[in-house]
Amino acid sequence: MSDVKWTNEQLQAIEETGSNILVAAAAGSGKTAVLVERIIHKIIDEKIDINKMLVVTFTNAAASEMRERILEAIYKKLEEDPKNIHLQRQITLLSRASICTIHSFCLDVIRNNFYEIDMPSNFRIADTAEIALLKQDTLDDLFEQKYEENNKEFIELLDTYASYRGDDALQELLLTIYDFIQSSPFPQKWLQEKLQEFNISNSQDFGTTIWGKILLKYVKEEIEEAILWLQCMHNNMYKYIELAKFTQTIAEDIVNLQDILATINSWDTTYQKLQSISFKKWPVDRTVTLDLKEKAKTLRDKVKKKINEKVTKIVSRDSYSVNCDFEKMLPILTNLCNLVLEFSQKFVERKKEKNCLDFNDIEHFALKILVGENGEITETAKKYQEKFLEIAVDEYQDSNLVQEAILTSISNGNNIFMVGDVKQSIYKFRGARPELFLSKYENYKPKEEKSNEDGLKVQLFRNFRSRENILNFTNLVFESIMSKELGDILYNETEYLNYGANYPEQDFIQNETLKDLTKNEQAKVNNFEKVAEMLIIDLKEEDSITAFQDEENEQDEEEQERIEDEVLEARFVANKIQELLKSGYMVYDKKIGYRPIRPKDIVI
């Protein structure tokens, strides 16, 4: 073990074994250091060979850094025990250790087992540009074939999705669906299963379907927000007797909306009540001159518009009518699904002709080698289960379903160590499924509550990177905006970033580090305010517009606005940096104490 003083939670993450472990590691909590230390602990203390572990990183750079840190730790231990044969062996094994990205591991699986999927051994990975061209060529050939056949199903799709300008819209839709389903372990099977969700009975309440539940949830949120606006206004108006008739109107609106809210689980009941809702005419009384009367009317008009033009249009037809629409849609969607599957097969054949794989193929072919058509674990997967005593996954919040299936197939069921922070998940648009992290976060248990069957959850929420004022401000912002509905997690005291760093306070500064500074520098340190600033650039201000009159006039408005935003922000940051450097702002340097700020102290 290293000389670092680990917290109890960090030690738990480093040393615990015997079950799957999820480490929820907040920003600045030392998660990479913990992951590296766990690997070193396995090698040195548990005498596990490094090639018996699979360490999955998010980038090649992270993998290289991890190798270097592990090697450095082994050399340091060897200095204490030069004759340790086990440690000497690890240096040799490290070059062949599986410390890599998930795609590198998948490529290794394919290259070692290519014969199991009828793949030539000399396959290559095509670059993005080549795959894009090959994909478009395949699509063009498929459409040309359908035109020549005068295919009935294809013609129906053209009538539905194409325009008089051409079939670009249908092509784009097909490619969008194809790309989307690649994040599923079994894309074709997933697409056919989802198609069946459109097969709805005419007699059922549409609110019981997956689609109806989503729409009613949205309607509920809109009505709840409208009620909240009205209640806030009602509370302000209630204080004024002269506003009594206006306050009563607002109160009646609240009651009407609450009545709809009470039965919102039924589509038809919600439909009937929204169709019959009416807002009482706003009272007229010119003797009342309070500004609050006009503010209340403006707000009420906004609520009326939301309900009449937005909410009511969502639930604008009864269940029978909507279900009939779905019945009409199903054949068209079936045709679309079949066309996507046909394209998928032809694209596979074209890539096979070129002897190449694309980015998605790497994961899917590896999964095909490890998992059978019916979900059974293959003999190859079992060999990997015997090989790897531990599987460690970094940035787990950005894993997708295919990667999850791959890693699960090579695990013995209780040896996956996952590190991540769902609040830092930013790759959902690329198929990442933070729900995987969230599911384990909710179901895994802390050590004191855990049974033998449970996975272990370790929370690292002490931040060693930032000052306390920064953390307090961060917690304040995210507690206000992050909830289960927005952000998938309730940001409360159990999720707070807790101060864990050890920055010297004023007393220490004055007693130890100020004696060698000039009086002017001492004053700058003493005047140091531990305050977090939020600086907002208002793009509506005239200065924000006139500052960019020298930009090229021929750019269209949308492009011009985009560039203005970027340039304005860049100039603002540059000015802020200049101010800091000119002011002689004092920063704490671990090596020499407090000193004037330098450019390298500033991060953007």
Side-chain angles (χ1 to χ4, degrees), residues 261-446:
L261 209 56
T263 56
I264 203 136
N265 291 330
S266 167
W267 181 271
D268 285 327
T269 304
T270 305
Y271 164 74
Q272 291 165 6
K273 290 197 172 185
L274 282 173
Q275 292 302 309
S276 62
I277 190 172
S278 61
F279 290 88
K280 184 179 177 181
K281 187 177 179 181
W282 187 249
V284 177
D285 189 342
R286 301 187 185 280
T287 63
V288 178
T289 58
L290 285 173
D291 290 342
L292 192 57
K293 181 188 75 171
E294 293 305 317
K295 288 181 180 179
K297 183 179 185 304
T298 301
L299 177 69
R300 185 174 186 262
D301 289 343
K302 186 177 179 181
V303 168
K304 285 171 60 179
K305 185 174 182 181
K306 175 196 281 279
I307 300 300
N308 293 331
E309 297 183 11
K310 194 173 183 181
V311 175
T312 304
K313 285 186 177 180
I314 293 173
V315 191
S316 60
R317 305 172 72 189
D318 62 18
S319 288
Y320 180 78
S321 300
V322 178
N323 292 340
C324 287
D325 286 344
F326 268 72
E327 187 178 12
K328 294 175 184 176
M329 285 170 54
L330 187 58
I332 296 171
L333 294 176
T334 301
N335 294 340
L336 181 60
C337 175
N338 291 337
L339 191 63
V340 172
L341 295 177
E342 190 173 351
F343 165 78
S344 180
Q345 182 57 41
K346 287 184 178 296
F347 190 39
V348 169
E349 293 169 1
R350 290 293 292 271
K351 286 183 288 186
K352 196 170 183 179
E353 290 173 7
K354 299 285 186 180
N355 195 27
C356 68
L357 304 182
D358 66 17
F359 200 66
N360 291 315
D361 291 332
I362 297 172
E363 290 182 348
H364 282 104
F365 283 168
L367 183 63
K368 190 175 181 180
I369 291 169
L370 299 169
V371 180
E373 291 183 1
N374 298 318
E376 72 278 8
I377 301 301
T378 65
E379 290 302 315
T380 303
K382 290 177 182 177
K383 291 177 183 177
Y384 281 106
Q385 288 180 1
E386 294 173 1
K387 176 181 178 181
F388 294 127
L389 300 179
E390 172 144 308
I391 300 168
V393 187
D394 195 14
E395 305 292 358
Y396 180 66
Q397 76 277 356
D398 290 320
S399 294
N400 63 35
L401 291 173
V402 186
Q403 295 163 2
E404 178 79 355
I406 290 169
L407 296 176
T408 301
S409 71
I410 62 173
S411 164
N412 64 19
N414 62 359
N415 65 338
I416 303 183
F417 180 82
M418 299 152 283
V419 184
D421 179 15
V422 74
K423 297 186 291 295
Q424 297 184 58
S425 180
I426 59 172
Y427 289 105
K428 200 166 184 177
F429 72 97
R430 280 195 341 201
R433 296 296 291 268
E435 304 96 290
L436 294 169
F437 185 102
L438 288 166
S439 175
K440 292 180 175 64
Y441 187 74
E442 291 176 359
N443 294 315
Y444 283 20
K445 300 289 191 295

Side-chain angles (χ1 to χ4, degrees), residues 23-81:
V23 178
S29 62
K31 73 177 182 67
T32 303
V34 166
L35 178 56
V36 172
E37 190 64 27
R38 181 178 175 87
I39 296 167
I40 295 168
H41 170 73
K42 293 285 181 186
I43 296 169
I44 296 175
D45 298 330
E46 297 185 18
K47 308 298 181 186
I48 294 176
D49 287 337
I50 186 66
N51 65 334
K52 295 289 186 181
M53 302 177 67
L54 170 62
V55 183
V56 178
T57 61
F58 198 67
T59 64
N60 289 319
S64 298
E65 181 185 354
M66 194 163 292
R67 284 178 185 273
E68 291 174 8
R69 294 174 71 166
I70 293 169
L71 184 61
E72 183 182 341
I74 294 172
Y75 275 130
K76 186 176 180 181
K77 198 68 178 178
L78 268 174
E79 290 176 2
E80 302 171 10
D81 186 9

Side-chain angles (χ1 to χ4, degrees), residues 452-490:
N452 292 334
E453 294 77 25
D454 293 325
L456 174 65
K457 176 170 69 177
V458 181
Q459 294 177 281
L460 304 181
F461 288 149
R462 291 185 67 184
N463 179 288
F464 299 94
R465 180 184 299 159
S466 303
R467 289 184 180 271
E468 192 170 13
N469 58 311
I470 298 295
L471 301 180
N472 290 340
F473 183 75
T474 301
N475 291 333
L476 174 67
V477 172
F478 283 95
E479 184 182 31
S480 303
I481 65 173
M482 187 173 283
S483 63
K484 275 281 187 182
E485 292 73 26
L486 179 65
D488 295 321
I489 195 166
L490 179 62

Side-chain angles (χ1 to χ4, degrees), residues 21-277:
I21 300 173
L22 178 72
V23 178
S29 62
K31 73 177 182 67
T32 303
V34 166
L35 178 56
V36 172
E37 190 64 27
R38 181 178 175 87
I39 296 167
I40 295 168
H41 170 73
K42 293 285 181 186
I43 296 169
I44 296 175
D45 298 330
E46 297 185 18
K47 308 298 181 186
I48 294 176
D49 287 337
I50 186 66
N51 65 334
K52 295 289 186 181
M53 302 177 67
L54 170 62
V55 183
V56 178
T57 61
F58 198 67
T59 64
N60 289 319
S64 298
E65 181 185 354
M66 194 163 292
R67 284 178 185 273
E68 291 174 8
R69 294 174 71 166
I70 293 169
L71 184 61
E72 183 182 341
I74 294 172
Y75 275 130
K76 186 176 180 181
K77 198 68 178 178
L78 268 174
E79 290 176 2
E80 302 171 10
D81 186 9
K83 295 182 180 180
N84 190 314
I85 296 175
H86 173 71
L87 292 177
Q88 293 173 5
R89 172 178 163 81
Q90 302 315 304
I91 294 175
T92 304
L93 294 175
L94 187 60
S95 61
R96 295 175 305 182
S98 300
I99 303 173
C100 55
T101 64
I102 186 67
H103 286 93
S104 295
F105 171 71
C106 290
L107 274 175
D108 185 65
V109 172
I110 297 171
R111 288 195 171 105
N112 290 328
N113 304 277
F114 60 90
Y115 49 86
E116 294 188 17
I117 53 172
D118 192 26
M119 173 71 65
S121 59
N122 62 340
F123 69 87
R124 63 187 177 84
I125 308 300
D127 61 35
T128 305
E130 181 182 0
I131 288 297
L133 288 173
L134 194 61
K135 189 183 288 185
Q136 189 60 50
D137 286 344
T138 305
L139 189 60
D140 290 341
D141 290 346
L142 175 62
F143 272 49
E144 185 176 343
Q145 174 192 332
K146 297 297 181 183
Y147 279 121
E148 290 176 354
E149 296 172 352
N150 197 24
N151 183 277
K152 179 183 175 182
E153 290 78 13
F154 181 70
I155 299 302
E156 288 179 355
L157 288 175
L158 289 174
D159 290 340
T160 305
Y161 296 107
S163 68
Y164 69 92
R165 293 182 177 179
D167 55 22
D168 289 352
L170 180 57
Q171 288 199 14
E172 185 178 344
L173 177 61
L174 188 150
L175 290 176
T176 299
I177 295 172
Y178 171 81
D179 290 338
F180 179 81
I181 66 176
Q182 298 313 303
S183 63
S184 172
F186 305 100
Q188 292 79 11
K189 182 180 177 182
W190 182 91
L191 186 60
Q192 290 170 331
E193 287 175 351
K194 294 304 173 186
L195 178 65
Q196 293 309 309
E197 292 181 356
F198 287 87
N199 193 3
I200 299 172
S201 168
N202 283 342
S203 60
Q204 71 182 112
D205 187 297
F206 185 66
T208 63
T209 68
I210 182 175
W211 319 105
K213 288 176 181 177
I214 292 171
L215 291 173
L216 286 180
K217 182 175 181 290
Y218 177 77
V219 167
K220 181 180 179 182
E221 290 172 353
E222 289 293 311
I223 294 176
E224 285 176 339
E225 184 179 47
I227 291 173
L228 183 62
W229 289 349
L230 293 174
Q231 284 177 333
C232 290
M233 181 56 69
H234 181 273
N235 292 340
N236 290 333
M237 297 170 67
Y238 196 76
K239 308 167 190 174
Y240 303 95
I241 297 176
E242 59 267 46
L243 294 178
K245 64 179 75 173
F246 304 98
T247 307
Q248 179 61 31
T249 302
I250 296 287
E252 290 175 9
D253 293 339
I254 293 172
V255 170
N256 289 336
L257 293 177
Q258 286 175 334
D259 181 49
I260 298 174
L261 209 56
T263 56
I264 203 136
N265 291 330
S266 167
W267 181 271
D268 285 327
T269 304
T270 305
Y271 164 74
Q272 291 165 6
K273 290 197 172 185
L274 282 173
Q275 292 302 309
S276 62
I277 190 172

